[in-house]
């Protein structure tokens, strides 16, 4: 009986030590569902805004009717690591920054370029990729950037409220830039001949080219040094956790694998 008592006592003490060790981090890993060493959001639901009109970052798969793209995969992977549950909500680009500043969404995943001006209104994660901007052309058009600058008849479009719109106006100060509600509308106008080029990120240009085989191609490069990042309401508690997950994904190769899968890197 004495031996049994001693064994039971040892088991009780061991279990108490396990519980104590599990809570020694001040509750940062309560629940134990986050990846080792990362913050644990305890299954928190986070509302993630996406356009669903910006391939390869986000779009609706016609066959399944479900959202697909780099944003969906990366957010799912991040939430898996920090124990949160993403709820994707479709949101229009126009007005998205005031909406984020007001806390209408927890997280914006939409291939957003970091700018100092935007950083005054919202907060950003660490960048996940560096991109450039190009002219998206019809497949049979060999016009160069200089051709567009010299020819006043060549019409240029882009998406309203984007850094692409800023670059288009700076690159073509003598043209009236046609700004569309989303890039899908701009691409349709390009395909129909209503405009002659779209100023767009090179990654998204590749996405639309893949969706329209034989109809479009990437033309001249305009910029090459823009950093994309996730957006959050000012002071969001998600930023630190998401940055930690991004760092872990970069370290173990997951981020590069996702970037290659969706054409963000070669």
């Amino acid at each position: 009986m004495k031996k049994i008592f001693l064994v039971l006592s040892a088991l009780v003490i061991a279990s108490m030590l396990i519980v104590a060790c599990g809570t020694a981090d001040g509750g940062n890993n309560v629940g134990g569902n986050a990846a080792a060493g990362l913050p644990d959001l305890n299954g928190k639901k986070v509302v993630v805004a996406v356009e669903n009109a910006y391939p390869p970052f986000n779009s609706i798969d016609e066959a399944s009717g479900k959202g697909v793209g780099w944003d969906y995969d990366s957010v799912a992977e991040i939430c898996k690591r920090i124990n949160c549950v993403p709820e994707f909500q479709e949101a229009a680009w126009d007005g998205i920054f005031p909406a984020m500043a007001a806390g209408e969404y927890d997280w914006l995943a939409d291939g957003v370029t970091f700018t100092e001006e935007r950083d005054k209104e919202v907060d950003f994660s660490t960048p996940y990729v560096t991109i450039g901007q190009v002219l998206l052309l019809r497949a049979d058009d060999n016009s160069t950037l200089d051709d567009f600058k010299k020819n006043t008849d060549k019409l240029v479009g882009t998406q309203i409220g984007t850094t692409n719109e800023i670059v288009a106006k700076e690159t073509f100060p003598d043209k009236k830039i046609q700004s569309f509600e989303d890039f899908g509308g701009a691409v349709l106008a390009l395909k129909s001949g209503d405009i002659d080029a779209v100023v767009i990120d090179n990654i998204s240009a590749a996405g639309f080219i893949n969706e329209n085989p034989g109809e479009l191609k990437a033309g001249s490069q305009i910029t090459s040094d823009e950093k994309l990042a996730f957006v959050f309401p000012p002071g969001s508690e998600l930023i630190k956790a998401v940055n930690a997950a991004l760092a872990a994904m970069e370290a173990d190769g997951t981020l590069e694998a996702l970037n290659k899968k969706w054409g963000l890197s070669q």
Side-chain angles (χ1 to χ4, degrees):
M1 290 293 293
K2 186 175 181 180
K3 288 183 180 179
I4 293 174
F5 177 77
L6 289 172
V7 170
L8 290 173
S9 298
L11 289 172
V12 170
I13 292 170
S15 59
M16 288 174 66
L17 287 172
I18 292 171
V19 171
C21 291
T23 57
D25 63 358
N28 288 334
N29 199 32
V30 175
N33 291 321
L38 292 180
D40 193 327
L41 299 186
N42 301 308
K44 176 184 176 68
K45 184 185 80 172
V46 291
V47 179
V48 184
V50 289
E51 272 188 285
N52 284 334
Y54 198 38
F57 294 99
N58 52 71
S59 60
I60 298 298
D61 178 65
E62 292 184 2
S64 66
K66 295 181 179 179
V68 295
W70 186 92
D71 289 329
Y72 283 92
D73 283 0
S74 63
V75 170
E77 177 64 25
I78 290 169
C79 272
K80 178 175 140 184
R81 292 178 183 235
I82 60 176
N83 190 17
C84 58
V85 180
E87 179 183 299
F88 293 93
Q89 288 190 11
E90 189 170 305
W93 176 261
D94 191 25
I96 191 62
F97 290 104
M100 291 301 301
E104 292 183 25
Y105 306 96
D106 298 310
W107 185 342
L108 171 59
D110 206 49
V112 183
T113 302
F114 170 88
T115 69
E116 291 183 0
E117 191 64 29
R118 288 173 175 172
D119 197 33
K120 295 175 183 177
E121 188 174 9
V122 295
D123 284 347
F124 285 85
S125 70
T126 52
Y128 50 76
V129 72
T130 300
I131 57 94
Q133 295 189 34
V134 298
L135 284 178
L136 182 64
L137 307 173
R138 289 184 289 276
D140 59 356
D141 190 348
N142 296 316
S143 299
T144 66
L145 185 60
D146 285 339
D147 292 333
F148 273 85
K149 289 180 177 180
K150 294 174 183 177
N151 190 337
T152 56
D153 292 332
K154 285 187 174 294
L155 304 177
V156 175
T158 190
Q159 181 173 357
I160 191 170
T162 61
T163 55
N164 310 97
E165 184 182 45
I166 294 171
V167 167
K169 291 178 177 179
E170 291 175 346
T171 306
F172 307 107
D174 298 328
K175 292 183 183 294
K176 182 180 179 180
I177 304 301
Q178 298 189 32
S179 297
F180 294 79
E181 183 178 343
D182 56 44
F183 276 111
V187 169
L188 286 175
L190 174 62
K191 290 167 59 178
S192 66
D194 292 334
I195 58 176
D196 300 297
V198 177
V199 176
I200 189 172
D201 297 342
N202 54 356
I203 293 169
S204 295
F208 281 109
I209 290 168
N210 289 336
E211 288 191 350
N212 300 273
E215 296 184 73
L216 304 170
K217 70 178 183 182
S220 299
Q221 186 91 13
I222 304 174
T223 69
S224 59
D225 58 353
E226 298 187 31
K227 298 184 183 301
L228 305 188
F230 296 119
V231 176
F232 303 91
S236 171
E237 65 174 13
L238 286 174
I239 300 170
K240 183 177 179 181
V242 169
N243 283 345
L246 282 171
M249 289 165 64
E250 183 174 16
D252 66 19
T254 303
L255 184 59
E256 180 62 18
L258 284 174
N259 287 351
K260 285 183 177 180
K261 174 184 175 181
W262 291 104
L264 274 66
S265 63
Q266 301 304 316

